[in-house]
Amino acid sequence: MRLEKDKIIERQLRFQELLISISSTYINADISDIDQIIQKSLKQIGEFVESDRSYIFSYDFTNNTTTNTYEWCAEGITPEIDNLKNVPLDFIPQWLEAHRKSEAFWVEDVSALPDDGELGLKAILEPQGIKSLITIPKIKNNELVGFIGFDSVNKLNKYNDREKEILFVYANMLVNLEQRKEYEERIQEQEAKKQELLEHLSQQNKALNEYAHVVSHDLKAPLINIHTLVSWFMDDNKDKITEDEYFPLQKVLFNVEKMDLLIKGILDYSTIDRIDTEDSLVNLNKTIEEVLQTLLIPEHITIKAQNNMPTLFGNTWRFKQVFQNLIQNAVKYCDKTQGRVEVGFTENEDMYQFFVKDNGIGINPNYFHKIFKIFTKLESTGSSSGIGLSIVEKIIKYYKGEIWVESKEGMGTVFYFTLPKTL
């Protein structure tokens, strides 16, 4: 029984990891590649849930029809997309009713459906070879706009509640991606109108940021449940669990915490340029002192910060994120028995140039151009999200500054960044 539960937890983790991977692709997608990206994600999700056909439909309530817009089929499965254009909604009253309630509609066994005539659901599904199916509504601005679906042709297929929740998150991701496509196409059509262009860009950014919040919050709930259940199980059975059994459970907790950190990083990254608190004068001496109080600094590492750091007008949270991520990285990648981290600045005519210097493992110069890219990690161990330096760079650019790195392997690293004196 425990082995079966472990498999379920592992599958849910892999499903969520797949969804995060797809979401990062969506965030960085070029508008010209969106159709191809959606097609690829349909294949990835379809294969993971072991369906034979996955698809997207749009609803047209003006003409009371629905149309298949995207479809992926497993090898040997007959495509149906060309046969499913402008299908009357009268053909699918059951799942339309479910979708109007923002609920999934699923049939575990099509053969068990009642024989209700040539226009009945069974008569529609059986000629397509469908044995099981599930459809998830797509909701845009509180309005039903379509659905995603997954057909099982070769075998019966069941979906547990956690898989249904994750499929709902995927449906929300698709809605936001399609909404972004609509915004960007509108922007391209109105390039000559500067004011309208800026307005649509603002709408696009707002939609993408809201999408990051939705994904982050929707994924955190099942993660918390998994962590709680595994922790309870370990506490209740600590006298019975062998060392060999204890290790995989600890690995599950580690990966849950790793994913939680990644989700938090995505949320932090998406909110950098939409913080609601007002800017004010920020004493960077106090800011760095508060950052150091929140970090776990090993005894063998010494951190020295200049005590005459400047005061800047800006947002305290953003400045804390910059110094916290840079100092935290310096501490994390220290391989010396006596580690040193230095934080300081120099003053130029209209800029302050700051630095965070360490004597740690260093960075290969071949990787300098990669380290600020989101989700990039130069090593795969540990629970790092690969987002920290991306957050730093985004904040520095937000304030019209620059950031760069100098490093030698084995000898340490210096991160330099500039901030204007007047922000």
Side-chain angles (χ1 to χ4, degrees):
M1 176 68 71
R2 184 162 64 244
L3 182 61
E4 184 64 24
K5 288 182 179 178
D6 288 348
K7 288 182 178 179
I8 292 173
I9 291 173
E10 181 189 8
R11 176 179 171 81
Q12 289 175 0
L13 285 172
R14 288 192 292 109
F15 202 175
Q16 291 171 77
E17 286 178 338
L18 172 61
L19 209 61
I20 288 177
S21 174
I22 291 173
S23 75
S24 68
T25 301
Y26 282 6
I27 289 172
N28 295 297
D30 186 276
I31 186 172
S32 62
D33 298 327
I34 284 180
D35 289 344
Q36 182 180 350
I37 290 170
I38 291 176
Q39 195 70 33
K40 181 180 178 181
S41 67
L42 276 178
K43 178 178 185 293
Q44 290 174 305
I45 299 289
E47 288 179 339
F48 191 92
V49 299
E50 298 179 1
S51 70
D52 301 301
R53 186 188 292 120
S54 55
Y55 44 83
I56 302 173
F57 274 67
S58 62
Y59 279 128
D60 180 354
F61 292 111
T62 302
N63 296 306
N64 286 318
T65 60
T66 183
T67 293
N68 193 175
T69 55
Y70 296 88
E71 181 187 70
W72 165 80
C73 294
E75 186 175 354
I77 301 301
T78 303
E80 293 289 345
I81 187 168
D82 292 334
N83 302 324
L84 298 171
K85 305 293 186 186
N86 300 315
V87 178
L89 295 182
D90 293 339
F91 286 8
I92 53 169
Q94 300 97 326
W95 67 42
L96 179 58
E97 180 181 358
H99 292 172
R100 287 188 186 278
K101 298 176 183 178
S102 300
E103 298 173 351
F105 176 79
W106 70 95
V107 179
E108 292 183 357
D109 187 353
V110 171
S111 65
L113 290 172
D115 294 319
D116 49 358
E118 62 178 331
L119 297 181
L121 187 60
K122 185 175 183 179
I124 294 173
L125 299 179
E126 278 193 331
Q128 300 177 50
I130 300 172
K131 293 183 178 179
S132 303
L133 92 158
I134 185 170
T135 61
I136 308 291
K138 288 168 53 187
I139 310 296
K140 174 183 174 183
N141 298 329
N142 297 318
E143 292 183 6
L144 179 64
V145 295
F147 61 91
I148 60 172
F150 301 86
D151 294 344
S152 298
V153 176
N154 291 320
K155 64 176 183 179
L156 297 178
N157 202 354
K158 294 183 178 180
Y159 298 85
N160 61 42
D161 290 338
R162 288 283 178 253
E163 288 176 330
K164 291 172 187 174
E165 289 175 5
I166 295 175
L167 289 176
F168 268 95
V169 175
Y170 174 60
N172 288 335
M173 287 166 54
L174 283 170
V175 168
N176 280 280
L177 184 66
E178 292 166 0
Q179 195 166 21
R180 175 190 165 192
K181 181 181 179 181
E182 292 174 8
Y183 289 152
E184 292 194 10
E185 287 176 343
R186 228 174 288 168
I187 290 168
Q188 290 177 355
E189 294 171 357
Q190 300 174 359
E191 285 182 344
K193 302 177 182 179
K194 183 177 179 180
Q195 190 58 40
E196 290 184 19
L197 173 63
L198 293 174
E199 179 182 345
H200 288 305
L201 280 172
S202 174
Q203 290 175 348
Q204 173 191 327
N205 289 333
K206 181 180 177 182
L208 287 174
N209 286 323
E210 288 176 352
Y211 146 72
H213 275 270
V214 169
V215 171
S216 298
H217 290 127
D218 285 358
L219 287 178
K220 271 183 174 289
L223 278 181
I224 293 171
N225 289 339
I226 292 170
H227 195 283
T228 301
L229 291 173
V230 174
S231 298
W232 283 351
F233 177 83
M234 293 172 69
D235 290 340
D236 292 344
N237 298 273
K238 57 186 175 183
D239 297 330
K240 304 175 185 177
I241 299 175
T242 66
E243 186 174 344
D244 289 341
E245 294 170 329
Y246 187 80
F247 176 75
L249 292 173
Q250 279 291 98
K251 191 172 182 181
V252 170
L253 291 179
F254 172 80
N255 280 289
V256 169
E257 292 166 1
K258 183 177 179 179
M259 288 190 63
D260 185 67
L261 184 63
L262 179 61
I263 293 169
K264 181 182 181 301
I266 293 174
L267 193 57
D268 286 344
Y269 185 83
S270 70
T271 54
I272 286 170
D273 51 6
R274 60 187 298 258
I275 297 171
D276 295 330
T277 56
E278 293 183 0
D279 287 348
S280 61
L281 287 174
V282 180
N283 184 325
L284 293 186
N285 289 309
K286 183 178 178 181
T287 297
I288 294 172
E289 180 182 343
E290 291 175 351
V291 165
L292 294 178
Q293 290 174 355
T294 65
L295 298 178
L296 293 175
I297 309 298
E299 292 183 0
H300 71 285
I301 294 179
T302 301
I303 298 180
K304 181 180 179 181
Q306 286 183 220
N307 58 12
N308 62 336
M309 300 290 282
T311 295
L312 289 177
F313 187 80
N315 182 273
T316 302
W317 182 87
R318 291 192 183 103
F319 291 148
K320 281 186 176 180
Q321 285 288 310
V322 170
F323 286 103
Q324 177 179 306
N325 279 291
L326 291 178
I327 296 173
Q328 197 166 254
N329 269 10
V331 171
K332 180 176 181 180
Y333 296 108
C334 176
D335 61 345
K336 306 299 189 298
T337 55
Q338 292 297 320
R340 298 190 312 275
V341 180
E342 298 177 33
V343 183
F345 81 105
T346 57
E347 184 175 355
N348 299 323
E349 185 177 348
D350 54 1
M351 303 284 287
Y352 292 114
Q353 180 173 304
F354 298 88
F355 65 86
V356 176
K357 180 180 180 180
D358 65 67
N359 66 335
I361 63 175
I363 302 171
N364 188 315
N366 293 330
Y367 296 119
F368 285 1
H369 68 288
K370 294 182 178 180
I371 59 176
F372 296 110
K373 292 183 178 179
I374 192 168
F375 302 116
T376 295
K377 295 187 288 184
L378 301 184
E379 46 82 39
S380 59
T381 59
S383 58
S384 171
S385 65
I387 300 177
L389 290 178
S390 301
I391 290 174
V392 171
E393 183 191 42
K394 189 172 183 180
I395 292 173
I396 299 303
K397 288 186 174 179
Y398 177 86
Y399 285 123
K400 312 301 182 186
E402 296 182 1
I403 184 167
W404 67 96
V405 62
E406 294 180 4
S407 181
K408 290 184 179 180
E409 288 185 281
M411 298 180 64
T413 300
V414 186
F415 281 94
Y416 294 98
F417 62 93
T418 60
L419 290 173
K421 290 184 176 180
T422 304
L423 296 177

